[in-house]
Amino acid sequence: MIKKEVAHIRKQFKLDHDMMNINDILNVYIMKESNEVYHWERQAFALVDREKQELYMGNFKKLLTGELDQKLFELKFLEEAVEPTRVLLHQGLATGDPEEWKDLMLLLVDKMLVDVKYEQDTVVTFVRGQYFRPTKGRNEEAEESGKDEMFANPFILCSVNSTEKQKKTLLFDYVEREFKYNVIVDPIIKLSSPEQGFFYPSVTDNYSDVNRILYCTAKSNYPDPHFIEQVLNAERSMTAMEERAIFEDIVKEVAGEQLDVATLAQVYEEIHQVIEINKDEEEPPKLDYKDVERVLTISGVENVTTEKVERAFQTIIDDRNYEMKASSVMPKFTSKSIKIDTKVATISVSPQDLKYVKQVNYQGRRCILIEIDEDAVIEGFTLSTEIL
């Protein structure tokens, strides 16, 4: 699944959208004290109040928002799972009976309650429906557009949301002309900030892929291993943060602990070029040991050999043929995603501007030197330029 495919699906979650139909919704309320289902409610989505529909749509869009391998993870199902979730979801996708679908989703909720203690009352929301994709792009010269010919893609979405108690407030009653102490015991369901969930099936080359599922989490780079393995029965994938740490360790193994800024800037530039060249490909570009060797050699790292890089892969990750996603191993190229931490200050700089930063020795002291095109301004005061 690639970023454009996620974005296409997310954009369909709008009221009265002709490319999205939601058939049924099921809400399940879990009590934190007993860790049991307190109440469930299933109904046709079309019968839900419009105000509630808008809240749900915002919840679903928020769930599907985030970077791949950071908040969104495409996962493979485990083959050896007992009572696999893949079967429950596939049956739920295929059945035309809303009651059978509800029973299947409640079985999935039962799996969510095993060996888990919720800190707050929790609401699990399931919806099922279908979204549509054109079978071909629009042909401006043709009388009818590609939009006239559609693929219907059935799906199941799940959103897990915690609750919070409402704050005690002081109200003014206009009729009685008096101040009143107001306590509302009904909890608020935090639909605007879903904790985790999933979208099934995933998408590969614009086609539904029932062998994969898109897992979503609110905690960037911290997917819930219990939910992934025990609830979804899926194989946990590497996060972008983990792959970046692996890449850094491999570079240190090959080039040593110290790297000058110009070389590091060139490494990021080369990887960025790989991403840009392959940005229209269906699969995101990956780096194997041969690619890493090429990047380090072009960037000016000395004494780089195939054997040395291959051995580094084997040492760090125990797999000489491992491939890292190019987008995962470097910070965002155009944003100030690199932090230079010193005792005096923390400096933020983008990978594309890292080439303007140097660590120098000035009168026996280490200093950070930053090349700038304009005068620096501090608290409204323009700094004077000293000649060293």
Side-chain angles (χ1 to χ4, degrees), residues 168-179:
K168 300 173 184 178
T169 56
L170 188 65
L171 303 179
F172 179 72
D173 188 328
Y174 279 101
V175 177
E176 300 293 333
R177 295 192 178 187
E178 63 177 335
F179 295 96

Side-chain angles (χ1 to χ4, degrees), residues 119-252:
E119 296 180 0
Q120 303 292 337
D121 288 0
T122 299
V123 175
V124 184
T125 301
F126 297 93
V127 291
R128 68 166 181 164
Q130 56 185 353
Y131 65 96
F132 300 90
R133 292 193 74 105
T135 58
K136 57 185 178 180
R138 181 181 177 88
N139 185 346
E140 298 293 343
E141 297 179 359
E143 291 187 4
E144 58 180 86
S145 71
K147 192 176 177 181
D148 297 325
E149 199 173 350
M150 295 286 184
F151 278 132
N153 298 271
F155 71 89
I156 294 173
L157 180 144
C158 167
S159 178
V160 180
N161 303 278
S162 63
T163 65
E164 63 182 0
K165 294 181 180 179
Q166 297 194 47
K167 295 179 180 179
K168 300 173 184 178
T169 56
L170 188 65
L171 303 179
F172 179 72
D173 188 328
Y174 279 101
V175 177
E176 300 293 333
R177 295 192 178 187
E178 63 177 335
F179 295 96
K180 290 184 177 180
Y181 178 62
N182 186 48
V183 179
I184 302 175
V185 296
D186 296 332
I188 296 174
I189 301 169
K190 298 163 69 174
L191 288 178
S192 60
S193 53
E195 295 193 341
Q196 60 183 339
F198 64 80
F199 182 90
Y200 174 82
S202 184
V203 178
T204 301
D205 296 338
N206 292 328
Y207 292 94
S208 295
D209 186 348
V210 295
N211 295 313
R212 297 172 184 263
I213 188 168
L214 183 69
Y215 167 76
C216 316
T217 179
K219 298 179 181 178
S220 184
N221 285 298
Y222 287 98
D224 183 345
H226 179 273
F227 194 92
I228 290 173
E229 296 168 10
Q230 303 303 319
V231 178
L232 299 181
N233 304 137
E235 180 180 346
R236 187 182 178 280
S237 66
M238 200 81 73
T239 68
M241 186 170 65
E242 289 169 331
E243 284 206 325
R244 187 175 304 167
I246 289 170
F247 176 74
E248 290 171 358
D249 287 342
I250 288 173
V251 173
K252 289 177 184 177

Side-chain angles (χ1 to χ4, degrees), residues 84-132:
T85 294
R86 172 174 56 181
V87 174
L88 288 178
L89 291 173
H90 195 268
Q91 290 175 345
L93 211 62
T95 183
D97 183 0
E99 283 298 306
E100 182 183 3
W101 174 73
K102 176 261 296 179
D103 292 338
L104 290 167
M105 296 305 101
L106 289 178
L107 289 175
L108 188 52
V109 171
D110 289 340
K111 298 182 74 169
M112 295 182 189
L113 298 176
V114 177
D115 298 327
V116 171
K117 183 66 178 176
Y118 291 99
E119 296 180 0
Q120 303 292 337
D121 288 0
T122 299
V123 175
V124 184
T125 301
F126 297 93
V127 291
R128 68 166 181 164
Q130 56 185 353
Y131 65 96
F132 300 90

Side-chain angles (χ1 to χ4, degrees), residues 202-383:
S202 184
V203 178
T204 301
D205 296 338
N206 292 328
Y207 292 94
S208 295
D209 186 348
V210 295
N211 295 313
R212 297 172 184 263
I213 188 168
L214 183 69
Y215 167 76
C216 316
T217 179
K219 298 179 181 178
S220 184
N221 285 298
Y222 287 98
D224 183 345
H226 179 273
F227 194 92
I228 290 173
E229 296 168 10
Q230 303 303 319
V231 178
L232 299 181
N233 304 137
E235 180 180 346
R236 187 182 178 280
S237 66
M238 200 81 73
T239 68
M241 186 170 65
E242 289 169 331
E243 284 206 325
R244 187 175 304 167
I246 289 170
F247 176 74
E248 290 171 358
D249 287 342
I250 288 173
V251 173
K252 289 177 184 177
E253 187 76 15
V254 175
E257 289 289 330
Q258 290 190 338
L259 208 63
D260 65 78
V261 177
T263 302
L264 184 58
Q266 188 61 41
V267 168
Y268 288 149
E269 179 67 37
E270 291 298 326
I271 296 174
H272 177 67
Q273 289 301 319
V274 171
I275 296 171
E276 286 297 300
I277 291 171
N278 296 277
K279 64 181 179 181
D280 294 325
E281 298 296 326
E282 292 295 338
E283 283 293 321
K286 296 183 179 181
L287 305 174
D288 60 14
Y289 70 89
K290 294 180 181 178
D291 297 315
V292 173
E293 178 200 0
R294 182 188 63 81
V295 167
L296 295 181
T297 301
I298 294 175
S299 301
V301 177
E302 297 180 351
N303 303 319
V304 178
T305 64
T306 302
E307 293 75 18
K308 201 171 181 180
V309 179
E310 189 177 358
R311 189 165 57 249
F313 268 73
Q314 189 67 38
T315 301
I316 301 302
I317 200 170
D318 198 26
D319 182 1
R320 60 181 289 274
N321 295 313
Y322 184 77
E323 296 180 327
M324 299 171 283
K325 288 185 178 178
S327 59
S328 295
V329 303
M330 63 176 290
K332 290 185 177 180
F333 192 71
T334 57
S335 64
K336 295 181 179 179
S337 52
I338 295 177
K339 299 288 187 280
I340 304 173
D341 289 315
T342 71
K343 184 174 67 175
V344 176
T346 297
I347 303 167
S348 299
V349 63
S350 67
Q352 68 176 356
D353 293 330
L354 192 58
K355 58 190 175 184
Y356 301 117
V357 180
K358 289 181 176 65
Q359 179 173 290
V360 299
N361 187 304
Y362 173 66
Q363 296 182 351
R365 290 175 294 179
R366 282 175 295 183
C367 302
I368 296 293
L369 178 66
I370 303 176
E371 180 185 337
I372 56 176
D373 294 329
E374 67 286 333
D375 287 331
V377 178
I378 297 179
E379 295 294 329
F381 295 96
T382 301
L383 298 185

